[in-house]
Amino acid sequence: MCGIFCSLHVGYCGDTDDIRYRGGPNNTIFHELSERLKVANAARGPDAQGTHHARVQGTCFSEAQVPSPSETCGLALDLEFYASELRLRGDTPIVQPHQQDGDVFCWNGEVFEGLNVNAYENDGAKLFQSMHSLPAMDDLPFLLGRIEGPYAFVYYHAESRKLYFARDPLGRRSLLIHKPSMLNPYFLLASVSVGDNQGYVMEELSTDGIFCLDVGQLCESKEITQHFDSSLTRIPRDIDRQILPFAKLSRVNTTLPPDAPPLVPSLDCAMLPRDLAIAVDRLIDHLENSVMLRVQNIPRRTLSEKGRAQVAVLFSGGIDSTMLAFLAHRHVPLDEPIDLLNVAFQNPRKIQVQTDGNIGAIPKREKKRQLKAAEINRTVKESASYMVPDRVTGLQEVEEFRRICPGRTWNFVEVDVPYEESQATRAAVEAIMFPGRTVMDLSLAMALYFASKGVGRVRISAAPDDYQPYTSTARVLLNGLGSDELLGGYGRHRIAYATRGWQGVIDELQLELDRLPTRNLGRDDRVISSHGKETRHPFLSLTVVSFLAGLPVHLKLDPRLELGLGDKTLLRLAARKVGLLEASVRKKKAMQFGSHSARMEAGEAEKRGDLMIRTVSEP
């Protein structure tokens, strides 16, 4: 995991000591913004930080010509590359940006398949050598299409004077882009921003190609804002999956099931249909391999970390996080604990309802009017309960782990978030998740922010209130995101079946896959990485995605069956087969509702998740 920052700004060719910028904000504004962006991106990589500068000059006059002091001789473009490093691969410390023969590479990612990286090697350094050795930059899509893992990168090819940048096809790593404008005439790329700011218009970089900025052409144009778009091209990813298995996302299998596919009467069914039984075994194999690749060979920073957790799971006790934790148990050394991070929020609105109920069936709007701030504050102080739904299921599941995984230490980390703390942190979380700005963005980001921070308490005996403070040392966090989208875990999949049959479910699953790159992943990466930690998504390995997308729809879910059986049926059967009896029947609870991070105030009860939050722009 790393933080990437790259900027391109304008001076004059003959001005090598003091760059003067054309139009827009003055030098001070640009430099202050750049420094703040570097600080924000340094938090993602606390182990090392580095900076490299390069200048690209236009050819505006011949060697025989000497411009007068007042003569403008064309553009010079200054490139700054900054990267911070969270070392999770290899035996030796790495300082970015990587450099050789004028080429510069900033890498924020992990290569899990497709490139032979030994345990003692750093994947970023090895990938840079592969890029630097390419016969031609036209071969870059073929190199990237053969590797699997989350990534975002910036690569400057000195010979061609071109800047390449991209995210992986799923967008599992954040990369934000600001294009030059008349007001802000500079180019920015960054893993994370500083929030809403007048110095840029930041947006998520699209995942539908590899982008190439012709810096040489741009500096000959003499006007960066007018000619930027013509200097930026998108290189499509190759679609031949036989040659490039990781170039693009797979398509959902469109085969309709038989008129009446057999029903699975229960998860304990002794005789599953043959194709379903095979699919269960293959899912376990694919998912276990994905987890193994993501938990093995994590380097320790110091000898003092021996015996402390290297891997944690964002843990609700639901089937997704439970399955990942169990499979991690198979591949993490037994003498090493696994941290289960379970977050709970003190939510005044929920506490008020639990305390007072809805006496007399008062309409919601009338009750909202009656819940005044003084009453809420009184209730919060008197009833600081953290037994939210995810805490209840988490506690239940850790007991199942202790029964079926003897010898493993499970640190069930109770991360309790008082109301005052969540409100005091809100502005910082809004800045980190930007350009995400909806009510749902905030609810999810708050839960992820505190859970990934890993500061809480663990129980040390069965006695009531026998806890000790605990801060997780794990810097690799497993996340169950992707299971619902790939296996049909949302209520909308049932609605699709009710209205359009199996074809509706297929269409909905394809829509889920299509919008995965744009919905959660960049935001989640920015939030979790702000603590110098890395989230890894075993369900979103492109190998797992390809397997699940290729399965016929009726092997993944069955909307004809009740909740807890018909949703994500394939995963439930897999969990049952490995012994996770209690987890296999749990019903889905969205993270923001399971942790009570959503709708903190009485007036927020009816707010839609897609509404924009109100923020104050920074100067």
Side-chain angles (χ1 to χ4, degrees), residues 485-550:
E485 289 81 359
L486 294 166
L487 286 156
Y490 292 121
R492 52 183 173 265
H493 298 116
R494 289 180 171 272
I495 295 172
Y497 179 80
T499 55
R500 293 175 286 134
W502 286 108
Q503 185 61 58
V505 179
I506 292 172
D507 293 344
E508 193 67 32
L509 288 172
Q510 184 60 61
L511 181 60
E512 301 280 8
L513 191 54
D514 290 341
R515 62 189 178 190
L516 260 174
T518 60
R519 294 190 72 194
N520 296 2
L521 289 162
R523 177 203 65 212
D524 294 356
D525 175 65
R526 292 190 292 278
V527 171
I528 293 172
S529 298
S530 67
H531 300 301
K533 300 182 180 183
E534 176 173 287
T535 182
R536 295 180 178 177
H537 304 91
F539 283 103
L540 293 180
S541 156
L542 292 181
T543 301
V544 175
V545 170
S546 177
F547 162 67
L548 289 175

Side-chain angles (χ1 to χ4, degrees), residues 152-169:
F153 73 87
V154 178
Y155 180 76
Y156 179 64
H157 186 243
E159 182 180 358
S160 65
R161 302 199 300 178
K162 290 182 178 179
L163 187 73
Y164 296 85
F165 49 97
R167 301 165 70 199
D168 71 80

Side-chain angles (χ1 to χ4, degrees), residues 182-467:
M182 293 302 294
L183 181 61
N184 302 307
Y186 40 79
F187 171 65
L188 302 173
L189 288 168
S191 297
V192 64
S193 73
V194 293
D196 195 11
N197 189 285
Q198 296 179 4
Y200 51 56
V201 179
M202 283 290 200
E203 58 186 9
E204 296 264 15
L205 182 70
S206 170
T207 62
D208 64 355
I210 302 162
F211 294 87
C212 175
L213 179 63
D214 192 332
V215 180
Q217 174 182 308
L218 194 59
C219 72
E220 301 292 350
S221 68
K222 297 188 179 181
E223 180 51 65
I224 186 173
T225 56
Q226 291 184 7
H227 298 278
F228 182 85
D229 287 340
S230 62
S231 299
L232 181 65
T233 57
R234 182 181 65 85
I235 305 169
R237 301 180 189 271
D238 193 280
I239 62 173
D240 188 343
R241 291 194 56 79
Q242 291 185 342
I243 299 175
L244 302 177
F246 306 121
K248 296 188 72 173
L249 295 182
S250 300
R251 303 289 297 176
V252 170
N253 189 327
T254 58
T255 304
L256 290 170
D259 291 338
L263 292 166
V264 176
S266 76
L267 296 176
D268 292 319
C269 182
M271 292 294 294
L272 294 174
R274 183 173 182 275
D275 54 353
L276 182 56
I278 292 172
V280 169
D281 289 338
R282 291 184 67 199
L283 174 59
I284 294 171
D285 290 343
H286 277 294
L287 197 55
E288 180 168 5
N289 186 64
S290 181
V291 170
M292 178 193 70
L293 291 172
R294 285 158 176 78
V295 301
Q296 66 180 2
N297 300 324
I298 301 170
R300 296 188 182 278
R301 289 171 292 176
T302 63
L303 291 175
S304 64
E305 288 187 340
K306 186 173 177 56
R308 305 184 73 182
Q310 294 276 83
V311 173
V313 183
L314 297 174
F315 190 73
S316 66
I319 186 171
D320 307 333
S321 58
T322 297
M323 191 70 171
L324 296 184
F326 176 79
L327 294 176
H329 161 69
R330 290 181 169 181
H331 297 283
V332 171
L334 196 57
D335 61 352
E336 183 178 298
I338 295 177
D339 288 348
L340 306 175
L341 307 178
N342 183 277
V343 65
F345 284 78
Q346 188 183 38
N347 186 314
R349 189 180 64 85
K350 288 285 189 180
I351 294 172
Q352 184 76 28
V353 171
Q354 292 167 0
T355 303
D356 296 345
N358 194 13
I359 300 171
I362 301 172
K364 286 185 177 180
R365 291 189 179 182
E366 178 64 17
K367 188 162 184 68
K368 179 176 66 175
R369 187 183 66 80
Q370 294 181 9
L371 293 176
K372 297 181 181 180
E375 285 295 311
I376 293 175
N377 290 335
R378 173 189 59 79
T379 308
V380 167
K381 292 177 181 178
E382 293 175 0
S383 179
S385 172
Y386 294 101
M387 288 302 289
V388 301
D390 282 357
R391 177 63 49 81
V392 174
T393 55
L395 287 167
Q396 291 170 349
E397 193 51 49
V398 77
E399 289 306 312
E400 182 170 40
F401 279 160
R402 287 168 178 155
R403 289 195 302 271
I404 67 175
C405 305
R408 168 74 63 193
T409 297
W410 299 97
N411 291 324
F412 185 76
V413 186
E414 300 184 28
V415 180
D416 298 337
V417 186
Y419 174 70
E420 292 83 0
E421 184 178 359
S422 67
Q423 296 308 294
T425 311
R426 173 171 170 164
V429 174
E430 287 181 4
I432 295 166
M433 75 182 194
F434 186 83
R437 296 185 65 180
T438 68
V439 170
M440 182 174 290
D441 283 328
L442 182 60
S443 296
L444 293 169
M446 291 287 280
L448 287 172
Y449 180 86
F450 283 101
S452 60
K453 191 176 181 181
V455 178
R457 60 180 186 169
V458 294
R459 184 179 291 276
I460 57 177
S461 77
D465 298 322
D466 193 8
Y467 290 94

